[in-house]
Amino acid sequence: MAHQDNLIQAARRDFVCVRLGQMNHVDLARFEFDYDTTWTSFFLDADLNIYSRYGGRDERIPDARMSRESLLHTMSEVLQAHAKIRRASAVDLPRILREETHPAPAKPTSPEDIPLLKDNHQGCVHCHQIQEYRLLQSYLDGKFERRMLFGYPLPERLGLQLDRKSGQQVERLAPDSAAVAAGLKPEDIIGRVNGIPIRSEYDIRWALHRATDDQPVKIVVDRQTLGTKASVELSLTPRGDWRQSDLGWRKSLRSVPLQMGFLGYSLGRDAVQQLGFPEGKSLVKVISLRPPGLGKNLLLQKGDLITSVGGQTGFQTFEQFKSKVLELYRPGDAVELEVLRDGKLLKLKGTMPDWFTEETSVP
Amino acid sequence: MWRLLLVVLFVAWSSSASAQEKISGWHTDLDSACKLARESGKPLFVVFRCVR
């Protein structure tokens, strides 16, 4: 889209455009983004102060959360901020830079600073490999946390549905959600999240990614009331497992330190219907057991057809099934599966294993 | 002679890469792009396109 669309090509003339295809020696502290994605962009000044991040994805196709309109909107917002900074006097410049750009990282860090990557990887470093080596390194260092899996939370998890054309205007709110409780309203334009200036939906996700769990999220919105525009500060308290979302699309899922202890694949539509299940039902067939791990704890058998996990269905792939396990359970929890074995539906129960991996490198 | 040929080939290759950048409008070196952004007064648009 950024390369071929005529309107975006025209808008690009106001920018110096850079395309980077590998992550070797890139400053990860500055260029922090969801490394499982295949396309992400940054808008910066010549000193690499960041005006905005644009991109991000979810379980749908890679560019489902992006649009020509929202990219043009972000580009326009960036140009306004850039002009403001260029006009600023020397006295005002430090304050305006603080207001208009994302917080600068304390010190640079590169993929080569991850010991496992430095020791085991040669050649081009791809984005997803950074996230994978970070997971493996954190496990090796005894610092792995489940939260590391659920980065860049989706605004929908707070009850916020944003207008796809701008990425920062509230289109609608989920009833009884944290966003409603905080006082957000449709058509509000989100201007800041925890002090970070917002010019795209991905800016919001980055701000939420950085948010701590012990403090409410501070949101500043621009709101039109009786023809007057006002800035309103709100405090949003997230609820439950608000950071969680489907991990099935993430390449880094294979490097999560979880011993599934079995392999499986999702049955096709015809095979599901032949078994007498309705169209749309998802079944994962266990094809091999590799103890130890969750499979052994559940006493799974080769040929078992998994119909639900924790009462939930809807996993279209084995990766989505694995994601569902990670969303629902923590080590030590009792995992509940329903399986079809020899024509009978059985309920299996077993302990979610402790985090563990023997992997030290990423393919 | 060989040295001269190598120099000619390198110049041809580098000017071709530079011409390619100019045509596509995308730079591939962040440092030189920062310098250009400073000279032109334009902001940077940096895209990470990772293939798997």
Side-chain angles (χ1 to χ4, degrees), chain A residues 262-268 271-272 275 282-289 300-307 315-318 321 337-340:
Chain A
F262 68 99
L263 288 176
Y265 70 89
S266 189
L267 288 190
V272 169
L275 287 162
S282 309
L283 295 176
V284 164
K285 183 171 186 176
V286 177
I287 53 169
S288 71
L289 295 159
L300 270 175
Q301 294 182 11
K302 187 178 173 183
D304 281 349
L305 294 168
I306 301 170
T307 62
F315 31 84
Q316 302 296 321
T317 61
F318 183 68
F321 167 77
L337 285 194
E338 189 180 68
V339 301
L340 187 65

Side-chain angles (χ1 to χ4, degrees), chain A residues 233-281:
Chain A
E233 189 169 331
L234 305 166
S235 182
L236 186 151
T237 304
R239 298 170 183 166
D241 291 325
W242 66 284
R243 293 181 185 275
Q244 291 188 184
S245 57
D246 186 352
L247 306 173
W249 62 273
R250 292 180 178 274
K251 195 95 169 173
S252 66
L253 185 63
R254 62 186 178 175
S255 294
V256 173
L258 169 66
Q259 283 189 303
M260 289 294 279
F262 68 99
L263 288 176
Y265 70 89
S266 189
L267 288 190
R269 194 171 58 184
D270 291 347
V272 169
Q273 285 183 323
Q274 278 171 16
L275 287 162
F277 286 96
E279 195 177 336
K281 176 76 177 172

Side-chain angles (χ1 to χ4, degrees), chain A residues 203-221:
Chain A
D203 286 337
I204 298 173
R205 292 182 68 183
W206 184 68
L208 294 175
H209 175 74
R210 289 164 50 94
T212 57
D213 284 330
D214 56 349
Q215 295 283 327
V217 180
K218 299 285 180 196
I219 299 178
V220 178
V221 299

Side-chain angles (χ1 to χ4, degrees), chain A residues 12-28:
Chain A
R12 280 206 288 113
R13 292 190 195 115
D14 291 326
F15 296 82
V16 175
C17 301
V18 188
R19 184 168 49 193
L20 301 174
Q22 61 184 51
M23 296 300 289
N24 302 58
H25 307 295
V26 166
D27 180 0
L28 302 180

Side-chain angles (χ1 to χ4, degrees), chain A residues 14-20 31 42 44-48 82, chain B residues 21 25-47:
Chain A
D14 291 326
F15 296 82
V16 175
C17 301
V18 188
R19 184 168 49 193
L20 301 174
F31 293 105
F42 287 76
L44 318 92
D45 70 7
D47 294 320
L48 299 182
H82 188 64
Chain B
E21 278 195 353
W26 291 94
H27 296 264
T28 53
D29 179 70
L30 185 58
D31 291 337
S32 62
C34 284
K35 192 174 168 223
L36 189 59
R38 203 177 307 281
E39 289 165 1
S40 64
K42 293 180 180 179
L44 290 155
F45 176 23
V46 178
V47 168

